[in-house]
Amino acid sequence: MSVKQTFTFISRSPAYASQRASLCLEAALAAAVFEQEIHYVFMDDGVLQLLTDQNSQAIGQKTLSKLLETLPLYGVENIYVDTQALAKHALDSADLVLDAQPIDDSQLAALIARSDQVLNL
Amino acid sequence: MSSLHTVSKAPQLGLLAQCLAVATAGDAVILLEDGVYYCLKNPEELPPAGDVALFALAEDLSARGLLERNRAGIELASYVEFVDLCCKHERSVSWF
Amino acid sequence: MSDSLFDKEGFLRDLSAWSEPVAEQIARAENISLAPSHWEVIRVLREFYAEHQHSPATRALVNLIKRELGEDKGRSVYLMKLFSGTPAKTASKIAGLPKPDNCI
């Protein structure tokens, strides 16, 4: 078994109301520390995590988008965003804090098929 | 390199359709926990599964009074068969 | 200065209690004498934390220092020399920030 595995993280939930978005990110950062191959996909309402101008101080939480911006520093460069979800919310890449590659269902299917581990939150 | 997808939330969340949208031929889906309520649907109300095999965990149907109400005709799997499915596929992808 | 300012591992409990003399005190406890090369890393770390509310683990610290202070300094060997064996942990401690997650 190779030491380096391919991990795909699929983050499907918005930030703040539940822990799902931040748990998914924490798991990816932990995997990144072990220098694994990481793909991070914002799918469905998960794309809302990427909106610019977030400030969650007033609700007593850390601003998730600020933490998402650290992904490239952890060597996580393969970041994708579900194009259908962006369209559904009438958003485009200028609304997002990270440069993400567009991904559709068939590209995500192919990514899952070549991953050793998939975390879907 | 196939995947076993598990769907464990009630149909109102639409996870089965999301899951089938990224499942590929040779994958399998097993409905668990509240996911087994998909068995109450009529077959034409289910998202098209194509070449993806669809199962539901019999124990979870039984617990919810659904064993005799499986209108969708989804194939039932026991815990042991669930374990077999896990072993047959390279990875699992949870939808919850 | 009372020990209750710090937790068991020597991290500052109240981040707003940090000052340069406090940094000197933490560094002394780690047998580090702060020079300008330390202070520039501490400054980058504190600015990063103010923006991202996150103490970087080693991998991110190296890339952050590379981005802010250049290739020569953005290397784990350089940072290990400055801040001993676990630079992310020690530098965060001296900078008055929380312990980074995923310290390995």
Side-chain angles (χ1 to χ4, degrees):
Chain A
M1 199 172 99
S2 64
V3 179
K4 191 163 181 167
Q5 294 211 341
T6 300
F7 285 74
T8 294
F9 295 88
I10 304 173
S11 190
R12 294 185 285 116
S13 304
Y16 309 120
S18 82
Q19 293 295 308
R20 298 172 70 111
S22 48
L23 285 175
C24 194
L25 178 58
E26 277 172 30
L29 294 180
V33 165
F34 290 94
E35 314 236 332
Q36 304 298 297
E37 179 181 334
I38 291 169
H39 299 267
Y40 207 93
V41 184
F42 295 92
M43 187 181 173
D44 203 28
D45 285 350
V47 303
L48 301 171
Q49 297 168 32
L50 289 168
L51 288 178
T52 54
D53 303 318
Q54 294 174 46
N55 181 353
S56 59
Q57 217 175 4
I59 55 170
Q61 297 191 42
K62 286 193 173 186
T63 301
L64 188 76
S65 55
K66 293 292 177 190
L67 196 51
L68 289 170
E69 285 171 352
T70 69
L71 278 169
L73 284 178
Y74 281 89
V76 179
E77 309 278 358
N78 303 308
I79 299 172
Y80 313 85
V81 62
D82 173 359
T83 41
Q84 271 181 317
L86 280 188
K88 188 180 108 187
H89 293 292
L91 299 170
D92 62 43
S93 56
D95 294 302
L96 310 181
V97 295
L98 286 173
D99 281 329
Q101 308 167 43
I103 193 169
D104 63 20
D105 287 345
S106 64
Q107 290 165 320
L108 179 55
L111 183 58
I112 290 172
R114 69 180 192 82
S115 302
D116 295 300
Q117 306 290 341
V118 178
L119 181 67
N120 184 7
L121 273 172
Chain B
M1 290 294 280
S2 61
S3 310
L4 175 66
H5 301 262
T6 64
V7 174
S8 51
K9 287 282 192 280
Q12 62 176 1
L13 292 183
L15 293 179
L16 182 57
Q18 277 193 5
C19 157
L20 289 170
V22 300
T24 46
D27 284 3
V29 176
I30 184 163
L31 304 169
L32 306 173
E33 300 171 20
D34 284 351
V36 299
Y37 285 114
Y38 276 104
C39 297
L40 276 179
K41 303 242 177 218
N42 291 313
E44 63 274 14
E45 293 175 275
L46 288 179
D51 293 326
V52 174
L54 192 52
F55 301 89
L57 187 66
E59 281 83 347
D60 279 329
L61 271 88
S62 171
R64 289 164 180 75
L66 301 182
L67 265 188
E68 304 301 322
R69 296 192 173 93
N70 180 8
R71 284 199 291 275
I74 292 167
E75 188 173 341
L76 300 191
S78 64
Y79 272 117
V80 171
E81 288 162 328
F82 178 23
V83 173
D84 284 343
L85 282 170
C86 292
C87 297
K88 234 185 259 174
H89 298 275
E90 279 83 5
R91 74 190 70 70
S92 63
V93 182
S94 308
W95 298 83
F96 65 99
Chain C
M1 206 157 317
S2 131
D3 277 351
S4 65
L5 266 177
F6 303 99
D7 69 11
K8 284 198 299 281
E9 292 183 86
F11 284 84
L12 206 55
R13 288 184 202 275
D14 174 6
L15 305 191
S16 66
W18 188 87
S19 64
E20 294 193 358
V22 170
E24 302 273 11
Q25 183 191 353
I26 301 169
R28 266 196 304 279
E30 299 284 334
N31 293 316
I32 292 168
S33 160
L34 295 179
S37 51
H38 297 94
W39 284 113
E40 65 180 359
V41 172
I42 292 168
R43 178 182 52 75
V44 168
L45 257 180
R46 288 187 58 84
E47 283 170 6
F48 180 80
Y49 188 85
E51 172 69 11
H52 297 283
Q53 300 152 307
H54 172 75
S55 299
T58 303
R59 184 173 191 185
L61 176 64
V62 168
N63 287 326
L64 174 68
I65 296 302
K66 188 186 290 175
R67 190 178 79 190
E68 300 296 323
L69 301 177
E71 292 273 344
D72 289 351
K73 296 173 178 170
R75 290 182 300 123
S76 54
V77 179
Y78 174 80
L79 294 168
M80 280 159 82
K81 272 189 200 148
L82 283 181
F83 292 102
S84 80
T86 51
K89 190 176 163 189
T90 309
S92 286
K93 190 185 281 184
I94 296 171
L97 306 178
K99 183 182 171 182
D101 294 331
N102 306 315
C103 254
I104 53 169

